[in-house]
Amino acid sequence: MHTLATALLLLIAVEHVWILVLEMFLWTHPIGLKTFRQSREAAEASRVLAANQGLYNGFLAAGLFWSVATGERPVQFFFVICVLIAGLYGGLTAKRSILYIQGLPALLALLALLAS
């Protein structure tokens, strides 16, 4: 279970790096527009907010990478629970797919951590 938990933590970290890239650098580009299903006008109007949101996703990724590198379980629990809460909140308030994209992997990682 330890290996599965580590793999899931790394997967979530990489996912959050990708979200950082999308929100900070590709928000108004075709891939960002398609990913977040918005018009160019809406993307331009929310560009600064998206970049800020992307930065927070980067902090989550950094924390997850750090937790795996150090092997400190309390840090792993902290960051995966942060991602889980963010996924739940985003899924309930912004877009239901966030529950599956962010929340579900975090829940699975949390369960794997608990079992290991």
Side-chain angles (χ1 to χ4, degrees), residues 78-98:
F78 174 79
F79 280 100
V80 81
I81 289 169
C82 286
V83 172
L84 179 58
I85 292 168
L88 291 170
Y89 184 79
L92 295 172
T93 63
K95 192 171 159 186
R96 183 166 301 283
S97 63
I98 295 171

Side-chain angles (χ1 to χ4, degrees), residues 44-69:
E44 288 294 340
S46 59
R47 175 183 229 150
V48 173
L49 292 172
N52 187 53
Q53 188 170 293
L55 186 61
Y56 285 102
N57 278 295
F59 290 141
L60 288 173
L64 288 165
F65 283 126
W66 172 47
S67 75
V68 169

Side-chain angles (χ1 to χ4, degrees), residues 34-47:
K34 183 178 179 184
T35 299
F36 297 104
R37 297 181 183 150
Q38 60 182 345
S39 67
R40 180 166 300 283
E41 296 77 24
E44 288 294 340
S46 59
R47 175 183 229 150

Side-chain angles (χ1 to χ4, degrees), residues 5-10 13 62-72 75-76:
T6 300
L8 288 169
L9 291 171
L10 289 172
L64 288 165
F65 283 126
W66 172 47
S67 75
V68 169
T70 62
E72 294 185 30
V75 178
Q76 293 172 346

